[in-house]
Amino acid sequence: SSYHIAIIVGSLRKESYNQKLATAIGKLAPSEFLFTHIRIDDLPLYNQDDDENQAPSVVRMKNEISQAEGILFVTPEYNRSIPGVLKNALDHGSRPHDKNVWAGKPAGILGVSTGSAGTAMAQQHLRNVLSYLDVPVLRQPEAYIQLRDGLFDENNTIGERSRPFMQNWMDHYVTWVKTYSP
Ligand code: FNR
């Protein structure tokens, strides 16, 4: 059987390192893991008035999440937290209150930043939100990644020096997802 993983990237930037990481990390997964990038750039700003009449882009995102066996968040850190675009997507998916699409979906969190803290504080904020949304998030290993030469190689895969670390992360993520969908 196959496992559909919804990838959500917290950066909308064309040359985003997190986008690059999201693509590269997928290549370390077994072939039954199928990754789909979920668009969040066309979601309106969340407005509770629209809960009973969600925009088509919101409905689409929620359908994609509901069909996935797992979620992978790959996000930068903005001002020591998660980017607003990611929080906006989380808020949309959480409503209406009894239709929280995130609940129960096993998830992993990755992030790369240019600073040495490697998105650690953003990831802690994200864990806090996901805990409330009833998302079981992989706890270990953690992956706080600083952008360094060689993180990606010329084929846009994970470079040789970072590969054992990232492969170990992916192996744990795969086990985590399978635990929830045997
Ligand atoms: C940043 N950056 C940043 N880095 C960090 O380590 N901690 C932080 O709190 C912040 N804050 C922050 C705020 C804003 C508004 C921007 C635009 C940037 C730097 C960030 O790590 C860098 O721009 C990354 O390249 C962003 O990720 P993407 O877009 O390359 O995926």
Side-chain angles (χ1 to χ4, degrees):
S1 65
S2 51
Y3 297 85
H4 299 88
I5 306 299
I7 296 193
I8 298 184
V9 176
S11 171
L12 306 185
R13 198 168 74 86
K14 272 198 218 64
E15 302 291 322
S16 163
Y17 300 122
N18 284 280
Q19 176 57 62
K20 218 170 157 179
L21 177 62
T23 305
I25 192 82
K27 298 174 189 165
L28 301 181
S31 57
E32 78 259 28
F33 271 60
L34 309 171
F35 293 86
T36 306
H37 184 106
I38 306 300
R39 275 190 80 172
I40 60 169
D41 65 331
D42 59 349
L43 304 177
L45 287 177
Y46 176 77
N47 180 338
Q48 194 180 357
D49 290 340
D50 302 328
D51 270 10
E52 303 306 323
N53 185 25
Q54 291 180 317
S57 56
V58 175
V59 172
R60 183 210 63 222
M61 181 194 75
K62 292 187 73 176
N63 280 337
E64 289 171 335
I65 299 299
S66 67
Q67 285 162 24
E69 275 85 33
I71 308 171
L72 176 52
F73 293 96
V74 187
T75 184
E77 178 170 291
Y78 277 5
N79 301 317
R80 297 293 184 246
S81 186
I82 56 173
V85 292
L86 177 54
K87 184 60 162 57
N88 189 51
L90 289 166
D91 291 342
H92 273 300
S94 73
R95 303 297 292 190
H97 189 61
D98 58 343
K99 300 220 167 77
N100 167 18
V101 78
W102 310 107
K105 301 279 178 187
I109 303 177
L110 289 174
V112 54
S113 77
T114 51
S116 59
T119 75
M121 286 161 276
Q123 291 193 32
Q124 289 305 317
H125 279 195
L126 181 54
R127 282 179 188 279
N128 199 65
V129 175
L130 294 177
S131 169
Y132 180 69
L133 293 177
D134 203 15
V135 176
V137 184
L138 176 67
R139 292 176 295 262
Q140 293 288 351
E142 300 167 303
Y144 305 132
I145 304 165
Q146 182 178 17
L147 184 75
R148 291 252 178 80
D149 280 350
L151 175 60
F152 304 108
D153 67 16
E154 60 283 355
N155 304 316
N156 282 332
T157 57
I158 300 293
E160 209 172 314
R161 270 188 62 201
S162 301
R163 207 169 302 151
F165 177 82
M166 294 309 308
Q167 186 66 62
N168 182 52
W169 188 90
M170 180 51 89
D171 293 347
H172 281 81
Y173 177 73
V174 164
T175 303
W176 185 246
V177 171
K178 286 184 172 177
T179 305
Y180 286 83
S181 310

